[in-house]
Amino acid sequence: MDCKEKAFQWVDTHHDDMISLWKQMVSIDSGIGVKEGGMEMGNLCAGILEKLGFSIRRYSFEKCGDTIIGERGDLSKPYPILMGHMDTVFYEGEPKKRPFTIKDGVAYGPGVLDMKGGDCIALSVLTALHEAGFDFPCKVILVADEEPAHCFSNNPEIIEKESKGAKCAFNFETGFPDHDITVQRRGCWRFTIETFGRGSHVGNDPKHGRSAINEMAHKILDIEALTDYDKGYNVNCGVIEGGTVPNATPAYCKMDCDFRYISNDDLPKLKEMVQKIVDHVYVDGVTSKLTTTEGFDVMERIPGNMELLKIAQEVAKEEGWPVPGPKLCGGGSDAAYTCKMGVPTLCSMGVEGEFNHTVEEYANVDSLFARAKLAIGILLKVGEKQS
């Protein structure tokens, strides 16, 4: 029995163990800003990696869990990276409200798809290959604040730094029911607009007021009109707040927006278009301010991504599995930062499902095992091609 068969056999005989690890991860409350849960996830993953012969380094932050760096073997030569994030988009208490459950072959729970299932796959793949006798040099990068776009850390810079010298990377982000693998992702620019007017009593002195909400309403229409699907742009005015009481002219309004784009070259043009809207005055006497908050870089479709995809397709054909095609994904991920360093990267290698970031989020249980085998096959083939 060769290494691949042994690793596949490990997966086949450890379904219960893999599901148990998946459940343990989903049950850990590592939502946005829940540092204790982020630390618990990091300690769990680090402990498993140490048993597989990895040394562990950490980057620590005040408001989120540690970034875990696992290293094994001679990394002076090109090596693969397995990566993911340990946090979920939900806030504290969600695992108690919606605990991990499986019904009719489908798993539910906060982060079951995005991306505790992918974390489980990455660690299971390394375990299966270890048990099969294949302890290849590699690095693991796991972060704890991906969902809020790393507003608690400098993880993008850390990922870029840690990616130097890598020959390829695999991000175990959300997989999709069509089995395709992400080779390109749109960027995400998040920004805030504030409008500053003048309050007044709308009964006694209505002419004195300058409505910040009125000004913002005009800007919302202008900004939403920047959506151009043919160019790969779409903008969402997602959160708005302002005013105090119905009988007072609102002196202040604030809006948070999310702009998606397809190329790094687009971002300066988009910022210029938005700035023009912000600078334009509709309500005399109201001023406006634009502030960039956070976001994700574009995951560029570099040639190496397509070469890695060909390897994934070869594995699928050899095993008689659905052959994955290339996917352009609208959601951001940390694969942007390995690609930025020129490292060929495949993303969305995790469990397959739908409805990320909602209470309807689900993952297909069988994909936990199928995707583990696909990753095993790819890693072994990458080793064969570059040995």
PDB file of all heavy atoms in Angstrom, residues 176-183 306-327 346 348-349 352 370-371 374 378 381:
ATOM      1  N   PHE A 176     -17.449  25.220  -2.192  1.00  0.00           N
ATOM      2  CA  PHE A 176     -18.739  25.490  -2.815  1.00  0.00           C
ATOM      3  C   PHE A 176     -19.377  24.198  -3.354  1.00  0.00           C
ATOM      4  O   PHE A 176     -18.671  23.262  -3.720  1.00  0.00           O
ATOM      5  CB  PHE A 176     -18.571  26.499  -3.952  1.00  0.00           C
ATOM      6  CG  PHE A 176     -18.017  27.822  -3.493  1.00  0.00           C
ATOM      7  CD1 PHE A 176     -16.651  28.058  -3.477  1.00  0.00           C
ATOM      8  CD2 PHE A 176     -18.868  28.816  -3.028  1.00  0.00           C
ATOM      9  CE1 PHE A 176     -16.136  29.258  -3.033  1.00  0.00           C
ATOM     10  CE2 PHE A 176     -18.354  30.025  -2.585  1.00  0.00           C
ATOM     11  CZ  PHE A 176     -16.993  30.249  -2.585  1.00  0.00           C
ATOM     12  N   PRO A 177     -20.706  24.153  -3.413  1.00  0.00           N
ATOM     13  CA  PRO A 177     -21.394  22.938  -3.883  1.00  0.00           C
ATOM     14  C   PRO A 177     -21.029  22.528  -5.304  1.00  0.00           C
ATOM     15  O   PRO A 177     -21.193  21.362  -5.670  1.00  0.00           O
ATOM     16  CB  PRO A 177     -22.878  23.315  -3.778  1.00  0.00           C
ATOM     17  CG  PRO A 177     -22.932  24.367  -2.732  1.00  0.00           C
ATOM     18  CD  PRO A 177     -21.666  25.155  -2.902  1.00  0.00           C
ATOM     19  N   ASP A 178     -20.538  23.474  -6.118  1.00  0.00           N
ATOM     20  CA  ASP A 178     -20.168  23.114  -7.491  1.00  0.00           C
ATOM     21  C   ASP A 178     -18.778  22.491  -7.576  1.00  0.00           C
ATOM     22  O   ASP A 178     -18.321  22.144  -8.670  1.00  0.00           O
ATOM     23  CB  ASP A 178     -20.262  24.337  -8.415  1.00  0.00           C
ATOM     24  CG  ASP A 178     -19.327  25.477  -8.009  1.00  0.00           C
ATOM     25  OD1 ASP A 178     -18.470  25.271  -7.123  1.00  0.00           O
ATOM     26  OD2 ASP A 178     -19.452  26.574  -8.584  1.00  0.00           O
ATOM     27  N   HIS A 179     -18.081  22.358  -6.452  1.00  0.00           N
ATOM     28  CA  HIS A 179     -16.768  21.719  -6.332  1.00  0.00           C
ATOM     29  C   HIS A 179     -15.621  22.554  -6.907  1.00  0.00           C
ATOM     30  O   HIS A 179     -14.464  22.104  -6.880  1.00  0.00           O
ATOM     31  CB  HIS A 179     -16.744  20.329  -6.988  1.00  0.00           C
ATOM     32  CG  HIS A 179     -17.896  19.450  -6.623  1.00  0.00           C
ATOM     33  ND1 HIS A 179     -18.148  19.064  -5.322  1.00  0.00           N
ATOM     34  CD2 HIS A 179     -18.878  18.894  -7.385  1.00  0.00           C
ATOM     35  CE1 HIS A 179     -19.232  18.301  -5.299  1.00  0.00           C
ATOM     36  NE2 HIS A 179     -19.692  18.186  -6.528  1.00  0.00           N
ATOM     37  N   ASP A 180     -15.895  23.742  -7.447  1.00  0.00           N
ATOM     38  CA  ASP A 180     -14.832  24.557  -8.030  1.00  0.00           C
ATOM     39  C   ASP A 180     -13.890  25.081  -6.949  1.00  0.00           C
ATOM     40  O   ASP A 180     -14.237  25.141  -5.768  1.00  0.00           O
ATOM     41  CB  ASP A 180     -15.422  25.726  -8.818  1.00  0.00           C
ATOM     42  CG  ASP A 180     -16.061  25.285 -10.126  1.00  0.00           C
ATOM     43  OD1 ASP A 180     -15.845  24.118 -10.522  1.00  0.00           O
ATOM     44  OD2 ASP A 180     -16.768  26.092 -10.745  1.00  0.00           O
ATOM     45  N   ILE A 181     -12.693  25.459  -7.398  1.00  0.00           N
ATOM     46  CA  ILE A 181     -11.666  25.956  -6.487  1.00  0.00           C
ATOM     47  C   ILE A 181     -11.336  27.396  -6.867  1.00  0.00           C
ATOM     48  O   ILE A 181     -11.182  27.719  -8.052  1.00  0.00           O
ATOM     49  CB  ILE A 181     -10.403  25.079  -6.551  1.00  0.00           C
ATOM     50  CG1 ILE A 181     -10.724  23.668  -6.019  1.00  0.00           C
ATOM     51  CG2 ILE A 181      -9.268  25.699  -5.738  1.00  0.00           C
ATOM     52  CD1 ILE A 181      -9.558  22.693  -6.129  1.00  0.00           C
ATOM     53  N   THR A 182     -11.211  28.237  -5.876  1.00  0.00           N
ATOM     54  CA  THR A 182     -10.979  29.664  -6.124  1.00  0.00           C
ATOM     55  C   THR A 182      -9.527  29.927  -6.498  1.00  0.00           C
ATOM     56  O   THR A 182      -8.608  29.559  -5.759  1.00  0.00           O
ATOM     57  CB  THR A 182     -11.363  30.486  -4.886  1.00  0.00           C
ATOM     58  OG1 THR A 182     -12.756  30.286  -4.611  1.00  0.00           O
ATOM     59  CG2 THR A 182     -11.098  31.968  -5.102  1.00  0.00           C
ATOM     60  N   VAL A 183      -9.348  30.592  -7.641  1.00  0.00           N
ATOM     61  CA  VAL A 183      -8.024  30.997  -8.114  1.00  0.00           C
ATOM     62  C   VAL A 183      -7.892  32.507  -8.162  1.00  0.00           C
ATOM     63  O   VAL A 183      -6.818  33.036  -8.452  1.00  0.00           O
ATOM     64  CB  VAL A 183      -7.728  30.405  -9.510  1.00  0.00           C
ATOM     65  CG1 VAL A 183      -7.670  28.883  -9.450  1.00  0.00           C
ATOM     66  CG2 VAL A 183      -8.771  30.864 -10.540  1.00  0.00           C
ATOM     67  N   MET A 306      -3.164  28.730 -11.657  1.00  0.00           N
ATOM     68  CA  MET A 306      -3.744  27.851 -12.671  1.00  0.00           C
ATOM     69  C   MET A 306      -2.951  26.554 -12.792  1.00  0.00           C
ATOM     70  O   MET A 306      -3.525  25.490 -13.077  1.00  0.00           O
ATOM     71  CB  MET A 306      -3.805  28.577 -14.013  1.00  0.00           C
ATOM     72  CG  MET A 306      -4.642  29.865 -13.984  1.00  0.00           C
ATOM     73  SD  MET A 306      -6.293  29.618 -13.273  1.00  0.00           S
ATOM     74  CE  MET A 306      -7.005  28.526 -14.518  1.00  0.00           C
ATOM     75  N   GLU A 307      -1.641  26.614 -12.571  1.00  0.00           N
ATOM     76  CA  GLU A 307      -0.832  25.390 -12.591  1.00  0.00           C
ATOM     77  C   GLU A 307      -1.217  24.485 -11.420  1.00  0.00           C
ATOM     78  O   GLU A 307      -1.310  23.261 -11.566  1.00  0.00           O
ATOM     79  CB  GLU A 307       0.656  25.741 -12.534  1.00  0.00           C
ATOM     80  CG  GLU A 307       1.181  26.456 -13.765  1.00  0.00           C
ATOM     81  CD  GLU A 307       0.966  25.643 -15.037  1.00  0.00           C
ATOM     82  OE1 GLU A 307       1.263  24.426 -15.014  1.00  0.00           O
ATOM     83  OE2 GLU A 307       0.491  26.218 -16.036  1.00  0.00           O
ATOM     84  N   LEU A 308      -1.436  25.090 -10.259  1.00  0.00           N
ATOM     85  CA  LEU A 308      -1.891  24.301  -9.105  1.00  0.00           C
ATOM     86  C   LEU A 308      -3.266  23.695  -9.362  1.00  0.00           C
ATOM     87  O   LEU A 308      -3.538  22.549  -8.981  1.00  0.00           O
ATOM     88  CB  LEU A 308      -1.954  25.177  -7.856  1.00  0.00           C
ATOM     89  CG  LEU A 308      -0.719  25.310  -6.971  1.00  0.00           C
ATOM     90  CD1 LEU A 308      -1.064  26.107  -5.727  1.00  0.00           C
ATOM     91  CD2 LEU A 308      -0.146  23.959  -6.601  1.00  0.00           C
ATOM     92  N   LEU A 309      -4.143  24.475 -10.003  1.00  0.00           N
ATOM     93  CA  LEU A 309      -5.474  23.961 -10.320  1.00  0.00           C
ATOM     94  C   LEU A 309      -5.378  22.755 -11.240  1.00  0.00           C
ATOM     95  O   LEU A 309      -6.135  21.778 -11.083  1.00  0.00           O
ATOM     96  CB  LEU A 309      -6.339  25.047 -10.952  1.00  0.00           C
ATOM     97  CG  LEU A 309      -7.750  24.615 -11.335  1.00  0.00           C
ATOM     98  CD1 LEU A 309      -8.554  24.233 -10.086  1.00  0.00           C
ATOM     99  CD2 LEU A 309      -8.473  25.718 -12.109  1.00  0.00           C
ATOM    100  N   LYS A 310      -4.460  22.778 -12.189  1.00  0.00           N
ATOM    101  CA  LYS A 310      -4.279  21.632 -13.085  1.00  0.00           C
ATOM    102  C   LYS A 310      -3.917  20.376 -12.296  1.00  0.00           C
ATOM    103  O   LYS A 310      -4.377  19.278 -12.614  1.00  0.00           O
ATOM    104  CB  LYS A 310      -3.190  21.935 -14.117  1.00  0.00           C
ATOM    105  CG  LYS A 310      -3.602  22.937 -15.188  1.00  0.00           C
ATOM    106  CD  LYS A 310      -2.454  23.190 -16.161  1.00  0.00           C
ATOM    107  CE  LYS A 310      -2.824  24.235 -17.208  1.00  0.00           C
ATOM    108  NZ  LYS A 310      -1.695  24.536 -18.121  1.00  0.00           N
ATOM    109  N   ILE A 311      -3.095  20.559 -11.270  1.00  0.00           N
ATOM    110  CA  ILE A 311      -2.737  19.416 -10.420  1.00  0.00           C
ATOM    111  C   ILE A 311      -3.973  18.895  -9.695  1.00  0.00           C
ATOM    112  O   ILE A 311      -4.206  17.676  -9.615  1.00  0.00           O
ATOM    113  CB  ILE A 311      -1.634  19.819  -9.426  1.00  0.00           C
ATOM    114  CG1 ILE A 311      -0.337  20.119 -10.179  1.00  0.00           C
ATOM    115  CG2 ILE A 311      -1.414  18.719  -8.389  1.00  0.00           C
ATOM    116  CD1 ILE A 311       0.782  20.655  -9.302  1.00  0.00           C
ATOM    117  N   ALA A 312      -4.787  19.811  -9.165  1.00  0.00           N
ATOM    118  CA  ALA A 312      -6.024  19.402  -8.496  1.00  0.00           C
ATOM    119  C   ALA A 312      -6.936  18.658  -9.471  1.00  0.00           C
ATOM    120  O   ALA A 312      -7.580  17.657  -9.104  1.00  0.00           O
ATOM    121  CB  ALA A 312      -6.739  20.625  -7.925  1.00  0.00           C
ATOM    122  N   GLN A 313      -7.005  19.127 -10.699  1.00  0.00           N
ATOM    123  CA  GLN A 313      -7.838  18.474 -11.710  1.00  0.00           C
ATOM    124  C   GLN A 313      -7.304  17.091 -12.062  1.00  0.00           C
ATOM    125  O   GLN A 313      -8.082  16.150 -12.275  1.00  0.00           O
ATOM    126  CB  GLN A 313      -7.919  19.362 -12.952  1.00  0.00           C
ATOM    127  CG  GLN A 313      -8.702  20.649 -12.712  1.00  0.00           C
ATOM    128  CD  GLN A 313      -8.603  21.645 -13.855  1.00  0.00           C
ATOM    129  OE1 GLN A 313      -7.611  21.657 -14.591  1.00  0.00           O
ATOM    130  NE2 GLN A 313      -9.618  22.483 -14.013  1.00  0.00           N
ATOM    131  N   GLU A 314      -5.988  16.952 -12.111  1.00  0.00           N
ATOM    132  CA  GLU A 314      -5.380  15.649 -12.379  1.00  0.00           C
ATOM    133  C   GLU A 314      -5.762  14.650 -11.294  1.00  0.00           C
ATOM    134  O   GLU A 314      -6.125  13.505 -11.580  1.00  0.00           O
ATOM    135  CB  GLU A 314      -3.854  15.773 -12.453  1.00  0.00           C
ATOM    136  CG  GLU A 314      -3.322  16.447 -13.696  1.00  0.00           C
ATOM    137  CD  GLU A 314      -1.803  16.606 -13.637  1.00  0.00           C
ATOM    138  OE1 GLU A 314      -1.160  15.896 -12.834  1.00  0.00           O
ATOM    139  OE2 GLU A 314      -1.277  17.440 -14.389  1.00  0.00           O
ATOM    140  N   VAL A 315      -5.656  15.089 -10.039  1.00  0.00           N
ATOM    141  CA  VAL A 315      -6.006  14.219  -8.911  1.00  0.00           C
ATOM    142  C   VAL A 315      -7.465  13.782  -9.017  1.00  0.00           C
ATOM    143  O   VAL A 315      -7.796  12.600  -8.862  1.00  0.00           O
ATOM    144  CB  VAL A 315      -5.754  14.927  -7.573  1.00  0.00           C
ATOM    145  CG1 VAL A 315      -6.301  14.101  -6.415  1.00  0.00           C
ATOM    146  CG2 VAL A 315      -4.260  15.202  -7.380  1.00  0.00           C
ATOM    147  N   ALA A 316      -8.358  14.741  -9.283  1.00  0.00           N
ATOM    148  CA  ALA A 316      -9.790  14.430  -9.370  1.00  0.00           C
ATOM    149  C   ALA A 316     -10.070  13.450 -10.497  1.00  0.00           C
ATOM    150  O   ALA A 316     -10.856  12.501 -10.331  1.00  0.00           O
ATOM    151  CB  ALA A 316     -10.584  15.723  -9.563  1.00  0.00           C
ATOM    152  N   LYS A 317      -9.447  13.650 -11.651  1.00  0.00           N
ATOM    153  CA  LYS A 317      -9.661  12.734 -12.785  1.00  0.00           C
ATOM    154  C   LYS A 317      -9.174  11.328 -12.469  1.00  0.00           C
ATOM    155  O   LYS A 317      -9.845  10.335 -12.780  1.00  0.00           O
ATOM    156  CB  LYS A 317      -8.942  13.278 -14.022  1.00  0.00           C
ATOM    157  CG  LYS A 317      -9.586  14.521 -14.627  1.00  0.00           C
ATOM    158  CD  LYS A 317      -8.757  15.057 -15.792  1.00  0.00           C
ATOM    159  CE  LYS A 317      -9.361  16.338 -16.361  1.00  0.00           C
ATOM    160  NZ  LYS A 317      -8.498  16.921 -17.436  1.00  0.00           N
ATOM    161  N   GLU A 318      -7.995  11.244 -11.851  1.00  0.00           N
ATOM    162  CA  GLU A 318      -7.437   9.938 -11.511  1.00  0.00           C
ATOM    163  C   GLU A 318      -8.320   9.171 -10.549  1.00  0.00           C
ATOM    164  O   GLU A 318      -8.426   7.935 -10.626  1.00  0.00           O
ATOM    165  CB  GLU A 318      -6.044  10.113 -10.907  1.00  0.00           C
ATOM    166  CG  GLU A 318      -4.984  10.566 -11.898  1.00  0.00           C
ATOM    167  CD  GLU A 318      -3.677  10.957 -11.215  1.00  0.00           C
ATOM    168  OE1 GLU A 318      -3.596  10.815  -9.969  1.00  0.00           O
ATOM    169  OE2 GLU A 318      -2.748  11.398 -11.915  1.00  0.00           O
ATOM    170  N   GLU A 319      -8.982   9.892  -9.646  1.00  0.00           N
ATOM    171  CA  GLU A 319      -9.802   9.230  -8.623  1.00  0.00           C
ATOM    172  C   GLU A 319     -11.261   9.102  -9.032  1.00  0.00           C
ATOM    173  O   GLU A 319     -12.054   8.499  -8.297  1.00  0.00           O
ATOM    174  CB  GLU A 319      -9.698  10.002  -7.309  1.00  0.00           C
ATOM    175  CG  GLU A 319      -8.286  10.130  -6.755  1.00  0.00           C
ATOM    176  CD  GLU A 319      -7.660   8.788  -6.412  1.00  0.00           C
ATOM    177  OE1 GLU A 319      -8.419   7.837  -6.085  1.00  0.00           O
ATOM    178  OE2 GLU A 319      -6.425   8.681  -6.471  1.00  0.00           O
ATOM    179  N   GLY A 320     -11.633   9.674 -10.182  1.00  0.00           N
ATOM    180  CA  GLY A 320     -13.019   9.605 -10.616  1.00  0.00           C
ATOM    181  C   GLY A 320     -13.941  10.545  -9.863  1.00  0.00           C
ATOM    182  O   GLY A 320     -15.151  10.305  -9.786  1.00  0.00           O
ATOM    183  N   TRP A 321     -13.379  11.645  -9.329  1.00  0.00           N
ATOM    184  CA  TRP A 321     -14.165  12.623  -8.590  1.00  0.00           C
ATOM    185  C   TRP A 321     -14.592  13.756  -9.522  1.00  0.00           C
ATOM    186  O   TRP A 321     -14.042  13.900 -10.621  1.00  0.00           O
ATOM    187  CB  TRP A 321     -13.337  13.211  -7.440  1.00  0.00           C
ATOM    188  CG  TRP A 321     -12.859  12.218  -6.440  1.00  0.00           C
ATOM    189  CD1 TRP A 321     -13.445  11.035  -6.116  1.00  0.00           C
ATOM    190  CD2 TRP A 321     -11.670  12.329  -5.643  1.00  0.00           C
ATOM    191  NE1 TRP A 321     -12.719  10.391  -5.150  1.00  0.00           N
ATOM    192  CE2 TRP A 321     -11.624  11.158  -4.835  1.00  0.00           C
ATOM    193  CE3 TRP A 321     -10.673  13.274  -5.507  1.00  0.00           C
ATOM    194  CZ2 TRP A 321     -10.590  10.929  -3.923  1.00  0.00           C
ATOM    195  CZ3 TRP A 321      -9.646  13.064  -4.595  1.00  0.00           C
ATOM    196  CH2 TRP A 321      -9.612  11.902  -3.814  1.00  0.00           C
ATOM    197  N   PRO A 322     -15.563  14.578  -9.107  1.00  0.00           N
ATOM    198  CA  PRO A 322     -15.898  15.774  -9.898  1.00  0.00           C
ATOM    199  C   PRO A 322     -14.667  16.640 -10.099  1.00  0.00           C
ATOM    200  O   PRO A 322     -13.915  16.891  -9.153  1.00  0.00           O
ATOM    201  CB  PRO A 322     -16.951  16.487  -9.043  1.00  0.00           C
ATOM    202  CG  PRO A 322     -17.555  15.404  -8.199  1.00  0.00           C
ATOM    203  CD  PRO A 322     -16.429  14.438  -7.916  1.00  0.00           C
ATOM    204  N   VAL A 323     -14.447  17.080 -11.325  1.00  0.00           N
ATOM    205  CA  VAL A 323     -13.250  17.857 -11.647  1.00  0.00           C
ATOM    206  C   VAL A 323     -13.514  19.337 -11.349  1.00  0.00           C
ATOM    207  O   VAL A 323     -14.429  19.937 -11.919  1.00  0.00           O
ATOM    208  CB  VAL A 323     -12.849  17.677 -13.123  1.00  0.00           C
ATOM    209  CG1 VAL A 323     -11.635  18.546 -13.465  1.00  0.00           C
ATOM    210  CG2 VAL A 323     -12.554  16.202 -13.410  1.00  0.00           C
ATOM    211  N   PRO A 324     -12.739  19.929 -10.452  1.00  0.00           N
ATOM    212  CA  PRO A 324     -12.979  21.334 -10.097  1.00  0.00           C
ATOM    213  C   PRO A 324     -12.561  22.290 -11.206  1.00  0.00           C
ATOM    214  O   PRO A 324     -11.523  22.104 -11.846  1.00  0.00           O
ATOM    215  CB  PRO A 324     -12.110  21.542  -8.852  1.00  0.00           C
ATOM    216  CG  PRO A 324     -10.997  20.543  -9.009  1.00  0.00           C
ATOM    217  CD  PRO A 324     -11.610  19.355  -9.698  1.00  0.00           C
ATOM    218  N   GLY A 325     -13.372  23.297 -11.421  1.00  0.00           N
ATOM    219  CA  GLY A 325     -13.021  24.361 -12.338  1.00  0.00           C
ATOM    220  C   GLY A 325     -12.503  25.557 -11.584  1.00  0.00           C
ATOM    221  O   GLY A 325     -12.495  25.583 -10.351  1.00  0.00           O
ATOM    222  N   PRO A 326     -12.057  26.594 -12.307  1.00  0.00           N
ATOM    223  CA  PRO A 326     -11.562  27.806 -11.650  1.00  0.00           C
ATOM    224  C   PRO A 326     -12.713  28.718 -11.248  1.00  0.00           C
ATOM    225  O   PRO A 326     -13.670  28.890 -11.990  1.00  0.00           O
ATOM    226  CB  PRO A 326     -10.704  28.461 -12.733  1.00  0.00           C
ATOM    227  CG  PRO A 326     -11.353  28.033 -14.021  1.00  0.00           C
ATOM    228  CD  PRO A 326     -11.904  26.652 -13.779  1.00  0.00           C
ATOM    229  N   LYS A 327     -12.619  29.291 -10.067  1.00  0.00           N
ATOM    230  CA  LYS A 327     -13.676  30.186  -9.583  1.00  0.00           C
ATOM    231  C   LYS A 327     -13.110  31.570  -9.283  1.00  0.00           C
ATOM    232  O   LYS A 327     -12.049  31.701  -8.665  1.00  0.00           O
ATOM    233  CB  LYS A 327     -14.336  29.612  -8.326  1.00  0.00           C
ATOM    234  CG  LYS A 327     -15.480  30.483  -7.778  1.00  0.00           C
ATOM    235  CD  LYS A 327     -16.112  29.860  -6.555  1.00  0.00           C
ATOM    236  CE  LYS A 327     -16.979  28.658  -6.892  1.00  0.00           C
ATOM    237  NZ  LYS A 327     -18.184  29.016  -7.665  1.00  0.00           N
ATOM    238  N   LEU A 346      -4.187  28.097  -4.041  1.00  0.00           N
ATOM    239  CA  LEU A 346      -5.564  27.671  -4.246  1.00  0.00           C
ATOM    240  C   LEU A 346      -6.351  27.994  -2.987  1.00  0.00           C
ATOM    241  O   LEU A 346      -5.890  27.722  -1.874  1.00  0.00           O
ATOM    242  CB  LEU A 346      -5.653  26.165  -4.534  1.00  0.00           C
ATOM    243  CG  LEU A 346      -5.056  25.677  -5.845  1.00  0.00           C
ATOM    244  CD1 LEU A 346      -5.268  24.170  -5.986  1.00  0.00           C
ATOM    245  CD2 LEU A 346      -5.645  26.403  -7.041  1.00  0.00           C
ATOM    246  N   SER A 348     -10.495  28.273  -1.069  1.00  0.00           N
ATOM    247  CA  SER A 348     -11.761  27.541  -0.919  1.00  0.00           C
ATOM    248  C   SER A 348     -11.555  26.038  -0.994  1.00  0.00           C
ATOM    249  O   SER A 348     -12.301  25.324  -1.644  1.00  0.00           O
ATOM    250  CB  SER A 348     -12.822  28.001  -1.939  1.00  0.00           C
ATOM    251  OG  SER A 348     -12.482  27.690  -3.276  1.00  0.00           O
ATOM    252  N   MET A 349     -10.532  25.556  -0.276  1.00  0.00           N
ATOM    253  CA  MET A 349     -10.236  24.122  -0.202  1.00  0.00           C
ATOM    254  C   MET A 349     -10.995  23.436   0.935  1.00  0.00           C
ATOM    255  O   MET A 349     -10.779  22.257   1.206  1.00  0.00           O
ATOM    256  CB  MET A 349      -8.737  23.921   0.009  1.00  0.00           C
ATOM    257  CG  MET A 349      -7.863  24.331  -1.165  1.00  0.00           C
ATOM    258  SD  MET A 349      -7.994  23.179  -2.552  1.00  0.00           S
ATOM    259  CE  MET A 349      -7.259  21.722  -1.838  1.00  0.00           C
ATOM    260  N   GLU A 352     -17.702  21.958   1.707  1.00  0.00           N
ATOM    261  CA  GLU A 352     -18.596  22.577   0.730  1.00  0.00           C
ATOM    262  C   GLU A 352     -19.952  22.860   1.356  1.00  0.00           C
ATOM    263  O   GLU A 352     -20.513  22.019   2.073  1.00  0.00           O
ATOM    264  CB  GLU A 352     -18.751  21.663  -0.476  1.00  0.00           C
ATOM    265  CG  GLU A 352     -17.432  21.423  -1.200  1.00  0.00           C
ATOM    266  CD  GLU A 352     -17.507  20.355  -2.271  1.00  0.00           C
ATOM    267  OE1 GLU A 352     -18.477  19.557  -2.273  1.00  0.00           O
ATOM    268  OE2 GLU A 352     -16.587  20.303  -3.108  1.00  0.00           O
ATOM    269  N   ALA A 370     -14.156  14.102   1.469  1.00  0.00           N
ATOM    270  CA  ALA A 370     -13.765  14.210   0.066  1.00  0.00           C
ATOM    271  C   ALA A 370     -12.708  15.285  -0.130  1.00  0.00           C
ATOM    272  O   ALA A 370     -11.725  15.093  -0.867  1.00  0.00           O
ATOM    273  CB  ALA A 370     -14.992  14.496  -0.804  1.00  0.00           C
ATOM    274  N   ARG A 371     -12.885  16.417   0.528  1.00  0.00           N
ATOM    275  CA  ARG A 371     -11.926  17.501   0.371  1.00  0.00           C
ATOM    276  C   ARG A 371     -10.593  17.173   1.054  1.00  0.00           C
ATOM    277  O   ARG A 371      -9.532  17.613   0.609  1.00  0.00           O
ATOM    278  CB  ARG A 371     -12.512  18.796   0.933  1.00  0.00           C
ATOM    279  CG  ARG A 371     -13.443  19.523  -0.052  1.00  0.00           C
ATOM    280  CD  ARG A 371     -12.696  19.800  -1.343  1.00  0.00           C
ATOM    281  NE  ARG A 371     -13.450  20.482  -2.346  1.00  0.00           N
ATOM    282  CZ  ARG A 371     -13.418  21.796  -2.582  1.00  0.00           C
ATOM    283  NH1 ARG A 371     -12.681  22.574  -1.831  1.00  0.00           N
ATOM    284  NH2 ARG A 371     -14.116  22.305  -3.565  1.00  0.00           N
ATOM    285  N   LEU A 374      -8.821  15.081  -1.470  1.00  0.00           N
ATOM    286  CA  LEU A 374      -8.346  15.904  -2.581  1.00  0.00           C
ATOM    287  C   LEU A 374      -7.061  16.637  -2.183  1.00  0.00           C
ATOM    288  O   LEU A 374      -6.091  16.668  -2.957  1.00  0.00           O
ATOM    289  CB  LEU A 374      -9.417  16.914  -2.988  1.00  0.00           C
ATOM    290  CG  LEU A 374      -9.033  17.887  -4.109  1.00  0.00           C
ATOM    291  CD1 LEU A 374      -8.752  17.140  -5.409  1.00  0.00           C
ATOM    292  CD2 LEU A 374     -10.147  18.926  -4.327  1.00  0.00           C
ATOM    293  N   ILE A 378      -3.330  16.295  -3.839  1.00  0.00           N
ATOM    294  CA  ILE A 378      -2.617  17.450  -4.402  1.00  0.00           C
ATOM    295  C   ILE A 378      -1.237  17.584  -3.771  1.00  0.00           C
ATOM    296  O   ILE A 378      -0.228  17.768  -4.468  1.00  0.00           O
ATOM    297  CB  ILE A 378      -3.425  18.745  -4.188  1.00  0.00           C
ATOM    298  CG1 ILE A 378      -4.744  18.703  -4.971  1.00  0.00           C
ATOM    299  CG2 ILE A 378      -2.606  19.958  -4.614  1.00  0.00           C
ATOM    300  CD1 ILE A 378      -5.690  19.843  -4.627  1.00  0.00           C
ATOM    301  N   LYS A 381       1.105  14.966  -5.071  1.00  0.00           N
ATOM    302  CA  LYS A 381       1.468  15.205  -6.466  1.00  0.00           C
ATOM    303  C   LYS A 381       2.405  16.397  -6.593  1.00  0.00           C
ATOM    304  O   LYS A 381       3.316  16.411  -7.422  1.00  0.00           O
ATOM    305  CB  LYS A 381       0.220  15.380  -7.333  1.00  0.00           C
ATOM    306  CG  LYS A 381       0.474  15.211  -8.827  1.00  0.00           C
ATOM    307  CD  LYS A 381      -0.823  15.149  -9.597  1.00  0.00           C
ATOM    308  CE  LYS A 381      -1.506  13.812  -9.497  1.00  0.00           C
ATOM    309  NZ  LYS A 381      -0.777  12.772 -10.274  1.00  0.00           N
TER     310      LYS A 381
END
